[in-house]
Amino acid sequence: MMDTLSPGFGDPVADSQACFRAVLDAMSRPGRVARVAGVVPPAPLGVAAAAVALCLFDHETPIWLDPRADACADWIGFHTGAPRVELDRASFALALSLPDFASLTAGTHESPEQSATIVLQVASIGTGSAFRLSGPGLRTPTVLRVTGLPDDFVARWDANRALFPRGIDLVLCADDRLTALPRGIRIEEG
Amino acid sequence: MKGYNFAYLDEQTKRMIRRALLKAVAIPGHQVPFGSREMPLPYGWGTGGIQITAAILGASDVLKVIDQGADDTTNAVSIRRFFARTANVATTTRTDEASVIQTRHRIPEKQLNEDQIIVYQVPQPEPLFRLESSRIETKRMHGLADYGLMHVKLYEDIARFGQISISYDYPVMVNGRYLMSPSPIPSFDNPKMHMMPALQLFGAGREKRIYAIPPWTEVRSLDFEDHPFRAINAPDPCGLCGATDSYLDEVVTDDKGGRLFVCSDTDHCAERRAQGHIGADGMRDAAE
């Protein structure tokens, strides 16, 4: 048994900037896939999910951590300082399977930014079920392939999208790859 | 720079701004509050834009800063030097060489590309502030997408002056949902925001708001069917480069009524002159 935690970013300033630009790029151009690096993650997290956590979580962001990722709770706690809370109070949910959108806070009409973001680690990005994306950020519809989303994902996303400008944003991570689906994007079975 | 973090701001502040930026991109046109920091220059000098630039900038970025279109005025020179010193990034005056462009009150003439980010300095993010002074009230109006007040203002302009009397900071609807201030850019620049390939970020330091327009997003200047939006520009071509499609500044040249109209975008004008375009008042020697 290992008693020591693995380190966070090798170069905290440059690595978190690079990770942020990858997330910003993906959020601006939904479905665009970027690679991130700079961290040796503790199981069960992949590089991308761990990097996003280091990049965006801190003591100001209560997080919900998937119980199946308990093994990395100490690592997240030590490196980010983010308090662990129930799903309905979390700013970020770090999940290994998609939680029910309705169990997270979607913000209010006057302050839709007070909504939660799900960082979801999936099996793979670039292979698997095809989803057709359209909306702001995309000149023409694009196709995103993901393995690891639930079968009823499109219906659940439609319900989330109907709340706009309220709603949940989704960051998808698999190994060292990530992409994002902001709340306003239209998703169809591709 | 010794004694300071990369790009001046501490990492905690950058994370806070980065989270606000992601929300702003996810809700195009919506003003997201953020914990604006005190910067080593006063509010009104672009502290909102500087904080956004500091939060996004990386070592490999190439930064361009313009003030009213010009690379060589005080505000632009100061901010460019600020980031050259605190982040050691490469800087440029060439629009097509930059990866990040911070701007005060103009959009470059050259079309921006997919790999660029433009950061606007915003003095007043609330487009309704002259019509409704209460922030609580304007927030509610945004929540309900109730923008009747702005339409009435435009209608009253037409009734009184025969036209919409807004020449800069002309209000836009973003993605058909949020009324947004484009910052005090001339209305001439408004059409460039529509379906722009680059990501557009807006920072208001004093007012502590961040908002954004993702690439390829609909941005419509408010108007009426019988009074369509039209951009206003000086009637003359640029005196130095002869351009007829760029936004022009009027320069008083003497005390006898002399006027010179020149491109507000200095990079655009210099590039055209380098290509051999000479305006009516342009000196052939200076161009060569």
Side-chain angles (χ1 to χ4, degrees):
Chain A
M1 163 137 188
M2 283 227 315
D3 285 326
T4 50
L5 293 171
S6 64
F9 280 133
D11 182 346
V13 173
D15 290 341
S16 51
Q17 187 272 341
C19 179
F20 169 70
R21 283 288 280 273
V23 179
L24 180 68
D25 201 33
M27 200 63 93
S28 314
R29 298 171 175 85
R32 178 177 285 199
V33 181
R35 287 195 133 92
V36 292
V39 62
V40 180
L45 291 187
V47 172
V52 170
L54 294 179
C55 171
L56 295 176
F57 300 178
D58 59 32
H59 63 270
E60 293 179 345
T61 57
I63 61 160
W64 178 83
L65 183 62
D66 197 317
R68 287 182 296 149
D70 265 341
C72 63
D74 287 348
W75 189 86
I76 299 268
F78 177 79
H79 287 297
T80 71
R84 210 171 154 181
V85 296
E86 291 302 311
L87 204 47
D88 60 343
R89 289 183 48 227
S91 302
F92 289 95
L94 184 54
L96 302 180
S97 62
L98 188 68
D100 187 2
F101 286 123
S103 57
L104 288 124
T105 174
T108 64
H109 276 100
E110 292 181 14
S111 298
E113 77 280 359
Q114 287 171 6
S115 56
T117 301
I118 300 175
V119 180
L120 177 65
Q121 180 164 298
V122 293
S124 87
I125 296 172
T127 58
S129 313
F131 298 95
R132 191 167 174 274
L133 315 180
S134 55
L138 300 172
R139 183 184 199 177
T140 52
T142 179
V143 171
L144 172 67
R145 289 183 176 275
V146 181
T147 307
L149 288 171
D151 292 340
D152 59 349
F153 175 68
V154 169
R156 285 164 70 175
W157 182 263
D158 279 347
N160 179 52
R161 181 171 175 269
L163 299 175
F164 191 88
R166 300 167 64 233
I168 310 295
D169 305 318
L170 191 54
V171 177
L172 297 175
C173 301
D175 296 330
D176 63 343
R177 294 153 76 90
L178 65 82
T179 188
L181 298 170
R183 63 193 74 180
I185 210 72
R186 181 188 296 275
I187 304 181
E188 295 156 304
E189 309 270 3
Chain B
M1 194 176 167
K2 211 177 166 196
Y4 288 90
N5 189 24
F6 175 83
Y8 185 79
L9 290 177
D10 60 279
E11 290 301 297
Q12 164 68 26
T13 298
K14 287 185 192 171
R15 262 195 305 276
M16 173 271 296
I17 294 173
R18 287 168 180 170
R19 289 192 295 258
L21 282 169
L22 294 178
K23 296 288 187 188
V25 169
I27 318 166
H30 169 67
Q31 301 166 47
V32 178
F34 80 109
S36 181
R37 300 298 193 245
E38 196 159 334
M39 298 300 284
L41 74 175
Y43 288 143
W45 287 76
T47 53
I50 291 173
Q51 289 179 78
I52 290 182
T53 301
I56 65 174
L57 212 57
S60 59
D61 276 311
V62 179
L63 179 70
K64 171 181 165 81
V65 185
I66 51 172
D67 171 7
Q68 301 275 14
D71 293 277
D72 55 3
T73 51
T74 311
N75 200 218
V77 171
S78 311
I79 294 171
R80 193 163 57 235
R81 199 175 55 177
F82 176 79
F83 283 114
R85 287 174 69 182
T86 60
N88 201 25
V89 290
T91 59
T92 183
T93 59
R94 299 280 302 272
T95 300
D96 47 7
E97 284 175 0
S99 59
V100 176
I101 301 173
Q102 182 172 330
T103 175
R104 172 177 177 273
H105 308 183
R106 270 314 307 279
I107 299 174
E109 303 294 355
K110 187 168 287 177
Q111 196 190 24
L112 304 184
N113 66 48
E114 285 238 353
D115 299 322
Q116 295 177 308
I117 300 177
I118 181 166
V119 179
Y120 297 76
Q121 301 171 200
V122 181
Q124 177 50 260
E126 179 50 72
L128 296 162
F129 89 109
R130 282 185 202 281
L131 308 172
E132 171 53 66
S133 57
S134 161
R135 272 308 170 106
I136 294 168
E137 201 57 41
T138 55
K139 212 172 161 186
R140 187 172 300 155
M141 290 156 88
H142 285 294
L144 298 169
D146 174 9
Y147 300 129
L149 204 55
M150 184 56 88
H151 284 104
V152 171
K153 140 85 182 151
L154 299 185
Y155 166 76
E156 285 183 345
D157 268 12
I158 293 167
R160 240 185 261 170
F161 310 117
Q163 59 180 345
I164 294 169
S165 69
I166 307 172
S167 57
Y168 66 95
D169 206 350
Y170 191 108
V172 294
M173 282 296 285
V174 177
N175 195 29
R177 174 59 182 82
Y178 279 100
L179 184 71
M180 193 197 88
S181 157
S183 85
I185 58 170
S187 59
F188 176 87
D189 282 344
N190 274 24
K192 295 178 190 163
M193 304 179 99
H194 177 64
M195 292 291 169
M196 186 190 273
L199 171 63
Q200 306 177 67
L201 304 175
F202 299 77
R206 185 189 56 225
E207 302 291 329
K208 302 174 177 57
R209 294 292 186 279
I210 284 172
Y211 51 102
I213 306 175
W216 307 114
T217 298
E218 183 193 70
V219 179
R220 198 172 55 77
S221 302
L222 286 192
D223 62 359
F224 297 103
E225 275 176 20
D226 53 344
H227 281 269
F229 169 82
R230 69 193 167 88
I232 301 166
N233 199 9
D236 301 10
C238 170
L240 299 181
C241 77
T244 53
D245 57 351
S246 73
Y247 187 71
L248 302 173
D249 286 337
E250 184 179 12
V251 181
V252 176
T253 52
D254 55 36
D255 59 358
K256 300 178 184 67
R259 291 284 187 279
L260 172 63
F261 288 96
V262 293
C263 288
S264 139
D265 185 335
T266 52
D267 173 57
H268 181 72
C269 199
E271 190 178 308
R272 279 181 53 82
R273 275 178 286 153
Q275 289 165 358
H277 298 278
I278 310 283
D281 305 292
M283 287 175 290
R284 231 157 256 284
D285 295 350
E288 281 157 8

